[in-house]
Every structure is written in C-alpha cells, then in structure tokens.
Amino acid sequence: MEKTSSSSTQAAASYAAAKISSIFIYPVKSCRGISVPHAPLTPTGFRWDRQWLVVNQKGRAYTQRIEPKLALVEVDMPNEAFSEGWEPAETSYMGIKAPGMDLLKVSLSKPPGIADGVSVWEWSGSALDEGDEASKWFTKYLGKPSRLVRFNAASETRPVDPVYANGHNIMFSDEYPFMLLSQGSLDALNELLKEPVPVNRFRPNILVDGCEPFAEDLWTEIKISQFSFQGVKLCSRCKIPTINQQTAIPGKEPNETLKKVRSDKVLRPNQKQQGKIYFGMNLVCKESLSEGKGKMVKVGDPVFVLHKVSSAAEAAA
C-alpha cells in the first residue's frame, strides 16, 4: 500500500482529488433516498440513515431484492433534522408516501413498542415497533403482512465485519456505515450502456466529482473536512442496480455490463474468485465513533487522498 510521507501529505493538503457533489440519506432501508446539503456524522453512519426497516410477519427484512415496489416509496424528513444537535419535538415526523397511498406520518420520537426477532442478513435482535398504523400502511401497499421497525440503539449493536473494520457498527445498512461513488465512475459506466442509468440505482451516501473514473477503488484513507475515512472494501453489487427506481421494474442492466468490466475476474484475476461485481467503495470514519460537536460533512467539501493502493487488485474486496 502506498503511504504518503509528511511532505506529500502537505502537498495533498493543497490539492483535492475530488469534492462532494451530493449526499444521500436513506431513512427507510430500500426506500427512496433524500438528497441533503449536509449531514451529521454518527457512530453508525450519517444520522437517520437506514434507521428504519420494513419487515414481514416473521420479522425478516424486506428489501427491493424481494419487493421492488419499495423503490417507489418516498420518504421526507424535516430539513432541520440534518442540522447539528437537532432533536425531534413531539410534533416532528417522517412523511412516507407511495403511489395510490395516503401520506403516512411516523413520529420521530421513539415509539414505545418493541418488536422481537427482527433480522436483516446475519443480524437478529429487537427493534422499536412503529405501531399499527404504519403496519397497515405497508401491509396494504405491499399486499402482505408488514411492519415498520426502528433500530433500537439503546439496546442493540450491529457490528460490521471485524476482518475489514473492527470496532465499527451500523444500523440497517447492508454492510458498512458509508458508501462512496464517483461521478466519473458513473459517467464511464453510462458510456458503455445503451440506456444511461442515474445514480439512484447505486444508492451511495457520498457522491464525489472531479476524479478519474474508478479512482475511489484505490482510496484506503481520505480526508473530508477534518474527518478521516478509511476505504475498507470495494462495494459488491446485488440485483438492486437493475431495478428502475422510477418504475420499480427490474431489467438486466447495468449488471450485465458490470460483469464484463467490473467483475472480480476482471479486476482481481489473481485473487479468489467470488463471482462478484464491484462499483463504489465502502467507508468507515474514525472520528464518528466518539462524541463531539461539529461533526458535519457537507456538499462542496473537498476530498483529500492520504493513502491509496496502486490497483483495484490490491484493494480489499
């Protein structure tokens, strides 16, 4: 792994490899995201990200892989919810809407009910139950028994894979607290596609612009504002990028093209083959683990690369 010397670090401090062009928060897992101008850092990622989850009658997570209709569920939060130090009042709520459905208001105050036996991927535990009104709304929309639950940070922890990022936790994200993607990578992919796809197919938290395509593959440590982020693992992609987020209709692209240009066979020919495709970089943030004020990342922040590897084959995956 290449490491910058103190002199090259100083050089890097005067040169930004990219800047943040968008920040996205996904309050309800697998539902639509919210583009925000800034977002507070928390020990599990950006505040409010993947804090809620829709589950079936057995407590198992619904995602777009099984229920692509979730792509049409819009989520709205108060603008001030993304300000530093803001705490919800009794009247603060998250709005949820979808085609053919009335507006569902979910209080941002913690609900009293507990749902046991909630599971998402390898994790299982208890969560806060958002009640019968939310349950009826999602049951009607999906056409099958459903409940809306909220991660209970007071009683539960969900560690990320310690092999890649020991000591970090998430709520209902798939694997890691943050996922970064570059506009250059998206543009390069779209040049290969007959029909370009928007960034919402890939659900990043941080979109950056100004770097070469796939430069993020190489970043093992970057600095945004005063915060240090580690690139811990290339982001492997599931079928969700094939689901049109405006229609909820799945197709074959862009995954068919990604298999040709972004598979482990192409990027990591001498490594163990897992049949995966990669697009984006998973991140953790050291400074987010401790309490303190002023932990905010905003659109326009420059991205400085402190450490990097020389090829995607050297990156963790």
Side-chain angles (χ1 to χ4, degrees):
M1 183 173 76
E2 297 176 4
K3 288 196 175 185
T4 57
S5 65
S6 59
S7 59
S8 59
T9 300
Q10 291 171 0
S14 62
Y15 170 73
K19 70 175 183 178
I20 297 180
S21 54
S22 296
I23 296 172
F24 301 102
I25 311 291
Y26 308 87
V28 183
K29 184 177 179 67
S30 258
C31 297
R32 286 189 180 174
I34 303 170
S35 179
V36 298
H38 47 71
L41 296 172
T42 79
T44 56
F46 286 134
R47 190 178 186 189
W48 307 114
D49 192 53
R50 276 89 169 192
Q51 199 166 123
W52 286 268
L53 178 71
V54 185
V55 298
N56 65 17
Q57 57 188 347
K58 295 182 179 180
R60 189 71 185 161
Y62 280 133
T63 74
Q64 287 186 36
R65 299 166 181 83
I66 301 163
E67 295 295 338
K69 281 179 69 176
L70 289 172
L72 306 182
V73 177
E74 295 182 50
V75 181
D76 187 45
M77 300 275 285
N79 290 335
E80 59 270 23
F82 302 99
S83 299
E84 182 186 349
W86 182 83
E87 291 300 329
E90 289 186 10
T91 54
S92 304
Y93 68 88
M94 173 175 64
I96 298 178
K97 59 183 180 179
M101 300 293 295
D102 293 332
L103 175 68
L104 172 66
K105 292 183 177 182
V106 177
S107 173
L108 293 180
S109 299
K110 288 187 178 180
I114 296 290
D116 291 316
V118 170
S119 60
V120 53
W121 304 122
E122 79 303 329
W123 179 88
S124 63
S126 67
L128 301 169
D129 193 308
E130 291 292 1
D132 289 344
E133 185 182 356
S135 175
K136 289 174 183 176
W137 194 96
F138 278 100
T139 296
K140 179 181 178 182
Y141 180 65
L142 295 176
K144 54 188 70 174
S146 308
R147 299 198 76 81
L148 180 67
V149 300
R150 183 176 181 177
F151 195 86
N152 189 0
S155 68
E156 305 292 328
T157 56
R158 186 169 167 235
V160 306
D161 189 335
V163 172
Y164 294 94
N166 191 32
H168 290 268
N169 296 297
I170 50 177
M171 290 190 175
F172 292 131
S173 302
D174 271 358
E175 293 187 295
Y176 296 94
F178 307 93
M179 199 278 278
L180 178 147
L181 182 65
S182 75
Q183 185 66 45
S185 300
L186 181 61
D187 292 345
L189 172 62
N190 278 332
E191 287 181 9
L192 302 175
L193 297 174
K194 291 181 180 178
E195 295 184 18
V197 295
V199 70
N200 63 12
R201 294 286 189 103
F202 301 102
R203 303 176 69 79
N205 295 113
I206 302 171
L207 182 68
V208 302
D209 199 5
C211 60
E212 292 294 316
F214 310 112
E216 65 270 28
D217 290 352
L218 313 181
W219 299 347
T220 55
E221 186 173 6
I222 61 175
K223 197 166 188 178
I224 301 173
S225 187
Q226 70 265 42
F227 310 113
S228 173
F229 289 80
Q230 288 68 49
V232 292
K233 192 171 186 271
L234 295 174
C235 185
S236 59
R237 311 310 309 213
C238 62
K239 67 178 284 187
I240 288 180
T242 67
I243 299 169
N244 185 315
Q245 299 293 295
Q246 301 306 118
T247 65
I249 298 173
K252 293 184 177 181
E253 293 289 11
N255 288 19
E256 286 295 309
T257 296
L258 286 172
K259 286 177 185 176
K260 297 173 184 175
V261 297
R262 298 288 301 171
S263 67
D264 46 11
K265 187 175 182 180
V266 173
L267 297 181
R268 308 163 57 78
N270 298 320
Q271 307 281 0
K272 180 183 178 182
Q273 298 298 296
Q274 305 175 77
K276 293 183 177 180
I277 54 176
Y278 303 99
F279 201 66
M281 176 60 79
N282 290 303
L283 306 175
V284 298
C285 178
K286 287 179 183 175
E287 288 88 351
S288 72
L289 295 177
S290 59
E291 298 297 325
K293 293 183 178 181
K295 294 191 176 181
M296 188 82 71
V297 170
K298 61 184 185 298
V299 171
D301 277 348
V303 178
F304 300 104
V305 179
L306 303 183
H307 299 161
K308 66 178 183 177
V309 294
S310 57
S311 71
E314 295 178 42

